[in-house]
Amino acid sequence: MPDLFETMKTMRAMRRLKPDPVPDELIRKILEAGACAPNGGNTQRWRFLVIKDRKIKQGVQVWYKRAFDEVVGPRYLKSNPPPGVTREQYNRQHAAVEYLTDHFHEAPVWIVACLEEGATAPTRSSGASIYPAVQNMLLAARALGLGATLTTRHLLYEKEAEAALGLPPGVHSYAILPIGYPMGNFGPVGRGPLKEIVFQDHWGTPYQGV
């Protein structure tokens, strides 16, 4: 098992997944990692919905693909590659995103990361109580040799997708993690240099430690 820093540096978004079943004991380890994460006030309002039912996944995939066709796909074609990524790499990423779109429902397991919010309206701080858990689960999946990715695209059709997921009133999804054995290999993530994104004391003043 790789060490933590190696795990983070090689935790690529794995969008091409085999349909092979994933043992429940591995999913349990991923969920346990999620439940270890920090959250606002230790209120533990997170809820994790494990989806294996293909019909449910197909119901969500309809909206997931529509969001790709209408928003995500055109945006990729018009956007420049992000820092640390070549045009060729960006095109491969786009192809992988399109593949996931078409095969989203075939991933053997989804973990839907939710918050039980009741009548409370979500705020900018709401994600602080669920996204650390999502990151823990992604790291756990990588450490176990499983592919996964964080996707929120279904939220472009939030009401329709959450209805397809069967979420009750007061519970909202913040991410879906499709999980399975990867078709490809883990490798270094493509990122820009720290000197371009880290400042010291004043915005725009380079941090001297990089």
Side-chain angles (χ1 to χ4, degrees), residues 63-83:
W63 302 104
Y64 194 74
K65 180 169 176 21
R66 182 170 175 179
F68 177 85
D69 293 339
E70 295 180 353
V71 180
V72 177
R75 185 176 64 202
Y76 263 101
L77 295 176
K78 295 177 182 178
S79 300
N80 292 320

Side-chain angles (χ1 to χ4, degrees), residues 97-110:
V97 169
E98 189 168 16
Y99 181 92
L100 176 62
T101 299
D102 293 336
H103 299 271
F104 194 44
H105 57 291
E106 296 173 3
V109 179
W110 290 1

Side-chain angles (χ1 to χ4, degrees), residues 36 95 125 132 163:
C36 288
S125 65

Side-chain angles (χ1 to χ4, degrees), residues 118-200:
T120 304
T123 66
R124 287 179 63 187
S125 65
S126 297
S129 289
I130 189 63
Y131 288 124
V134 169
Q135 179 70 353
N136 270 17
M137 291 190 288
L138 290 171
L139 288 167
R142 168 66 186 94
L144 294 169
L146 292 167
T149 188
L150 188 169
T151 184
T152 59
R153 192 200 311 166
H154 69 291
L155 297 179
L156 291 172
Y157 288 99
E158 179 180 1
K159 290 183 179 179
E160 295 85 351
E162 291 189 343
L165 287 167
L167 299 185
V171 175
H172 295 288
S173 63
Y174 279 72
I176 297 177
L177 280 63
I179 296 173
Y181 291 100
M183 293 183 182
N185 299 314
F186 294 103
V189 298
R191 300 292 187 268
L194 286 179
K195 64 181 181 180
E196 294 182 2
I197 60 172
V198 184
F199 308 133
Q200 181 172 333

